[in-house]
């Protein structure tokens, strides 16, 4: 089990100034669901476009998916955008299996 971490970068440090990038790493499961949800919702509050980088996420269960969907719905209600990028391995497979890869894609 890898410890969960979340880091947010915004503005001039990202490729697009209006974007916020949330970098997640470790395991995204029930034990970190509330923290993950809070980080994602704060990012949605702060920027019109939020990219969630999953490249360093090693495990995700339905609790991690719930956090992503909650933040996605919050962004939609406010006319904002949240998408995921960089998912690999079991995380990518989970997003594909649940149909969320398409829902949370950049396009």
């Amino acid at each position: 089990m890898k410890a969960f971490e979340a880091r947010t970068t915004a503005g001039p440090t990202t490729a697009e100034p209006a974007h916020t990038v949330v970098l997640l790493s470790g395991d995204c499961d029930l034990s970190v669901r509330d923290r993950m949800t809070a980080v994602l919702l704060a990012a949605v509050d702060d920027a019109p476009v939020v990219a969630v980088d999953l490249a360093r996420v090693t495990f995700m269960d339905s609790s991690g998916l719930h956090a992503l969907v909650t933040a996605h719905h919050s962004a939609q209600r406010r006319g904002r955008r949240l998408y995921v990028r960089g998912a690999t391995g079991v995380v990518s497979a989970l997003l594909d299996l649940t149909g969320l890869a398409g829902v949370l894609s950049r396009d």
Side-chain angles (χ1 to χ4, degrees), residues 20-54:
T20 290
V21 177
V22 178
L23 303 161
L24 301 178
S25 63
D27 293 350
C28 298
D29 56 19
L30 181 60
S31 67
V32 301
R33 182 191 66 196
D34 293 340
R35 185 170 150 215
M36 181 177 165
T37 301
V39 167
L40 294 174
L41 290 175
V44 168
D45 284 344
D46 291 342
V49 180
V50 177
V52 183
D53 191 318
L54 301 176

Side-chain angles (χ1 to χ4, degrees), residues 64-107:
L65 292 177
H66 180 269
L68 290 171
V69 170
T70 298
H72 171 70
H73 285 160
S74 177
Q76 280 190 317
R77 281 190 304 272
R78 300 175 72 201
R80 295 179 176 214
R81 177 100 170 90
L82 178 136
Y83 66 91
V84 298
R85 69 181 192 195
T88 61
V90 296
V91 176
S92 178
L94 180 65
L95 292 171
D96 288 339
L97 180 68
T98 59
L100 289 174
V103 173
L104 299 174
S105 71
R106 184 173 189 166
D107 300 325

